[in-house]
Amino acid sequence: MHVLQEAPTQHRRNFFTEDDFFQKLLEKHLDEDLYAYASKELKKFGDACANHIDERAAHTDREGQPRLLRYNKYGEEVSEVWVNEGYKQTVEETYNTGIVGYVHKEIPELGRKGNYTYSFAQGYLLSQAEPGFYCPVTLTLATAYLLDHYADQAIKQQFLPHVCATGGVELYEGATFLTERQGGSDVGANVVQAKEAGDHFRLYGEKYFASNAGMCGVAMVLARKEGAPAGSRGLTLFAVPWKNEDGSINNIRIRRLKDKLGVRAVPSAEVEFDGAKAYVIGDPNRGFYYMMEALNLSRICNMVASIGIMRRSYSEAKAYSERRDAFGKRLCEFPMIQQTLTQLKQKLEAETAAIFELIQLHGKVTNGEATKEEEALNRLLIAILKKESAEQAIAFAHEAIEMHGGNGYIEDFVTPRLLRDAQVLTVWEGTANILGLEVIRLVNKFSVHEIFIADLKERLDGMDAPELVKWREDLKVRLEEFASDDRVTQELKAKSLAKEMAELYEQVVYVGM
């Protein structure tokens, strides 16, 4: 009989302190002062994520999911979303760490801003416990980015301090509402209308998959002004407060919440605008461009959620293998198990290293310090690493379930939730097909394959890695062929080439550390 051994006394887990590789990675990418501050704060947050935030996440997933309260006791439509008390505590605790705020304002203890590297480090820890809640954080990061970079001073003052709140000021979580029923990934087909009303606009229409509905204080919404041309060029970006100054809802109705496979913590809804007050953000003709910039930021958040799930899957599989007896030995003593765990660890570290290397490049782009070639490379790396990391999150969750055997399929363990939460990451922020089209666009418009190969060559120069050099040379030939292929052939090759590019980039970064 195969018996599960009685659990030994468990030490209190900490997602940060038990991850030596990640600590070294942050030390590489943060300056001395910020690393000293971050490591202290991440130790506290890593403890919270591994313990009470994780416990709250399990409760929210199983019994405490958001619920729509359409009417109050007087029969008046209020479209409120109920969330459990533990979820509210996680909201307060997480935002007060500065996961959003300290990208845009000073850390009091340091007298300077943080950066996205620190924010994404927090997201990596959070996603090991609650990738569903990292979605609202992602949306708030995107909202803060758009307000900070493109809103006029009056709009910025109205919303940004709340979106970046770390205690002492009322928090406005953010949201980005793109998806419409007839459009989906084809955002240019959007039809929500914006009608001018003095110093603001009024929105009419619906968004079909609006995440963080009812919880956000302000949403960034694409809509079409009267007389604007069709397609993506006719879309304007608006800031839409969820409530009016008197506390009443801003002519917004939640039709229903989506009953999702996973990431149940985040309320995703069908939302109707019936004259909602809205404010133009930036140039009215560049709304789609602004939102695509925010989408690239969200894609990096998606990657961070993916490696968070990968890390939790690996650590759960490893821990289980070290306590489970079968055929007279611990699982971790079997060569096949050792091989699986080694492969998972190497892939996890390579993926994490590559994503945090990309985050450094993205920081240059965000700060306006990048060349045109670096901007194109940034877009390429975001596309290929988002695709690869999302697919690997599913693969890692699958391996964790298999390591647990039948227990891995039981909701008493975290593994089923990891798999359900991982599945959406291949869909949110662009499917593999959409990302494949992005690769084609970048190759055809910017010859980004040449920039990519040159970047790899520069990284490999001086490295003793003949296998990687040969791989780069072979891939260079195939990418040159791809660039001259007809459109149909490009579409047939794009996803497999994107995967190989991601894998090679990961290995070059990892070996070069």
Side-chain angles (χ1 to χ4, degrees), residues 285-386:
N285 300 312
R286 289 174 63 80
F288 180 77
Y289 169 80
Y290 299 150
M291 196 65 101
M292 289 307 100
E293 282 197 357
L295 179 64
N296 271 335
L297 175 60
S298 296
R299 283 175 173 169
I300 298 177
C301 292
N302 195 286
M303 299 176 211
V304 170
S306 294
I307 57 176
I309 288 178
M310 289 166 66
R311 170 67 193 182
R312 183 71 185 275
S313 298
Y314 166 73
S315 62
E316 293 292 331
K318 183 175 182 293
Y320 193 84
S321 75
E322 292 170 347
R323 62 176 288 179
R324 177 73 158 98
D325 279 355
F327 307 105
K329 294 194 292 187
R330 293 288 168 116
L331 288 183
C332 61
E333 296 177 40
F334 289 92
M336 284 187 291
I337 300 296
Q338 293 171 358
Q339 181 185 50
T340 296
L341 291 172
T342 298
Q343 289 172 343
L344 290 176
K345 183 174 186 290
Q346 290 176 341
K347 178 64 175 178
L348 169 64
E349 291 182 353
E351 193 103 59
T352 305
I355 288 170
F356 273 82
E357 186 77 6
L358 161 62
I359 288 166
Q360 310 315 304
L361 174 59
H362 183 260
K364 288 183 67 176
V365 172
T366 301
N367 294 331
E369 301 167 354
T371 64
K372 293 296 184 184
E373 290 77 13
E374 287 174 324
E375 290 177 1
L377 181 62
N378 179 63
R379 288 175 59 183
L380 174 72
L381 293 175
I382 286 173
I384 64 177
L385 290 176
K386 189 276 180 184

Side-chain angles (χ1 to χ4, degrees), residues 1 14 54 66 80 112 233 246 253 265 274 296 298 349 358 367 372-373 387 443 448 452 454 456 460-461 470 484 502:
M1 179 183 297
N14 187 310
D54 189 50
E80 292 182 357
R112 53 176 280 199
R233 293 184 179 181
D246 63 3
R253 178 183 299 109
D274 187 20
N296 271 335
S298 296
E349 291 182 353
L358 161 62
N367 294 331
K372 293 296 184 184
E373 290 77 13
K387 174 182 176 297
V443 167
V448 76
F452 175 74
L456 291 180
L460 285 166
D461 283 347
K470 185 178 186 308
S484 61

Side-chain angles (χ1 to χ4, degrees), residues 233-249:
R233 293 184 179 181
L235 295 172
T236 297
L237 181 65
F238 294 90
V240 183
W242 193 261
K243 292 184 177 180
N244 296 309
E245 292 181 2
D246 63 3
S248 62
I249 195 164

Side-chain angles (χ1 to χ4, degrees), residues 74 88 105 128 283 336 407 499:
Y74 299 107
K88 292 178 183 177
K105 66 180 185 180
Q128 293 178 50
D283 184 338
M336 284 187 291
N407 280 331
K499 180 174 180 60

Side-chain angles (χ1 to χ4, degrees), residues 189-316:
N190 283 4
V191 296
V192 168
Q193 289 292 314
K195 296 184 178 181
E196 195 164 1
D199 64 349
H200 59 274
F201 283 74
R202 296 282 179 177
L203 301 192
Y204 298 86
E206 69 168 35
K207 295 292 182 179
Y208 195 63
F209 202 103
S211 287
N212 216 27
M215 290 300 293
C216 63
V218 58
M220 311 304 287
V221 181
L222 286 177
R224 201 177 302 277
K225 293 165 59 178
E226 291 180 294
S232 59
R233 293 184 179 181
L235 295 172
T236 297
L237 181 65
F238 294 90
V240 183
W242 193 261
K243 292 184 177 180
N244 296 309
E245 292 181 2
D246 63 3
S248 62
I249 195 164
N250 179 22
N251 295 327
I252 301 170
R253 178 183 299 109
I254 298 178
R255 183 187 297 134
R256 61 174 175 171
L257 296 184
K258 302 289 192 179
D259 186 8
K260 304 191 298 295
L261 171 68
V263 289
R264 294 170 176 170
V266 54
S268 302
E270 296 169 16
V271 170
E272 297 175 349
F273 299 112
D274 187 20
K277 181 182 287 188
Y279 303 93
V280 172
I281 299 296
D283 184 338
N285 300 312
R286 289 174 63 80
F288 180 77
Y289 169 80
Y290 299 150
M291 196 65 101
M292 289 307 100
E293 282 197 357
L295 179 64
N296 271 335
L297 175 60
S298 296
R299 283 175 173 169
I300 298 177
C301 292
N302 195 286
M303 299 176 211
V304 170
S306 294
I307 57 176
I309 288 178
M310 289 166 66
R311 170 67 193 182
R312 183 71 185 275
S313 298
Y314 166 73
S315 62
E316 293 292 331

Side-chain angles (χ1 to χ4, degrees), residues 62-97:
R62 299 295 304 284
E63 293 125 4
Q65 297 175 34
R67 297 199 300 266
L68 173 61
L69 307 176
R70 288 198 65 179
Y71 304 98
N72 66 16
K73 62 186 178 182
Y74 299 107
E76 299 164 336
E77 191 162 13
V78 292
S79 286
E80 292 182 357
V81 172
W82 174 91
V83 295
N84 68 69
E85 288 302 314
Y87 183 90
K88 292 178 183 177
Q89 291 171 17
T90 296
V91 168
E92 181 178 4
E93 186 171 1
T94 300
Y95 285 105
N96 283 353
T97 67

